[in-house]
Amino acid sequence: ALFNRRSPGGFTNDSVDTQVLQRMLDAAIWAPNHRLTEPWRFFVITHDSPRKQEIADLAGETAWGQSTNPNPEQKQRAADTNRRRVLEAPALIYAYCTAGRNEEETRENYAAVSCALQNLSLAAVAEGFGAQWSTGNVAKHPKLAEALGADQEWSLVAALFVGVPSKTPTSRRTKASAFTTWI
């Protein structure tokens, strides 16, 4: 799973069973977590969620506002693309982290949730799915936390789109030796 994990270029219309999503979330929380603060908070939007339209509209509104193109048709296309991306997602998981008792613990909490999302992504591959990490327009609206029911004090780490990949891109990595100093 580690070497096969990639961000899919898109997803099929196949839904993701809630039991499979639960197994992925169960794998996620086994991420390293210094001090066992368990800082992760997940919000799962399934394909048929009644809240999906609201979240999609927020993503579209954000894309409209973030578009630097002054052409209203281009802005509308950006908004529609982001709205459709949410509406067509087989599953979408928003991950937040709780604040720590101090700055150091807050940083550790954020890192733990990032590790949890990597675990979730690897679990998705093991289950025959893919996960696409996003911190873009689907995660930027100032009313997103309220729409999800998240505490305003929590920090959004990312949104993960989960589904059956319609195409899986290839990727490359520079060998670790290029970044490693042996002392």
Side-chain angles (χ1 to χ4, degrees):
L2 180 67
F3 293 105
N4 290 321
R5 190 223 46 83
R6 299 287 176 270
S7 291
F11 298 100
T12 67
N13 290 329
D14 298 329
S15 62
V16 184
D17 186 82
T18 55
Q19 291 177 338
V20 173
L21 289 167
Q22 186 61 59
R23 285 195 301 268
M24 291 178 198
L25 292 162
D26 288 339
I29 64 164
W30 281 95
N33 177 218
H34 189 216
R35 299 185 181 118
L36 294 176
T37 58
E38 299 183 308
W40 29 74
R41 301 295 183 267
F42 302 108
F43 296 87
V44 181
I45 300 166
T46 58
H47 190 63
D48 57 354
S49 171
R51 306 283 298 282
K52 201 172 205 183
Q53 184 66 56
E54 179 183 5
I55 303 303
D57 289 342
L58 293 176
E61 189 178 306
T62 302
W64 175 276
Q66 297 269 333
S67 176
T68 57
N69 191 320
N71 181 331
E73 290 174 3
Q74 293 290 338
K75 290 173 94 67
Q76 189 60 52
R77 265 198 291 282
D80 291 345
T81 297
N82 279 270
R83 190 176 290 109
R84 189 171 44 256
R85 185 173 176 217
V86 171
L87 291 173
E88 293 175 357
L92 181 55
I93 301 172
Y94 283 92
Y96 284 79
C97 75
T98 59
R101 292 170 289 194
N102 54 48
E103 185 180 336
E104 178 182 11
E105 190 173 275
T106 296
R107 278 194 319 272
E108 290 173 348
N109 285 353
Y110 190 91
V113 175
S114 294
C115 290
L117 290 174
Q118 174 69 352
N119 279 8
L120 199 152
S121 297
L122 295 173
V125 171
E127 293 277 2
F129 295 94
Q132 187 181 70
W133 185 305
S134 179
T135 55
N137 291 326
V138 301
K140 291 183 177 175
H141 198 284
K143 292 184 180 176
L144 178 63
E146 180 183 340
L148 293 171
D151 188 306
Q152 295 295 326
E153 299 300 312
W154 300 342
S155 297
L156 180 69
V157 176
L160 281 186
F161 290 85
V162 179
V164 175
S166 59
K167 54 185 175 181
T168 304
T170 58
S171 187
R172 64 173 179 75
R173 295 290 191 273
T174 304
K175 290 188 179 277
S177 60
F179 310 107
T180 305
T181 302
W182 293 85
I183 301 175

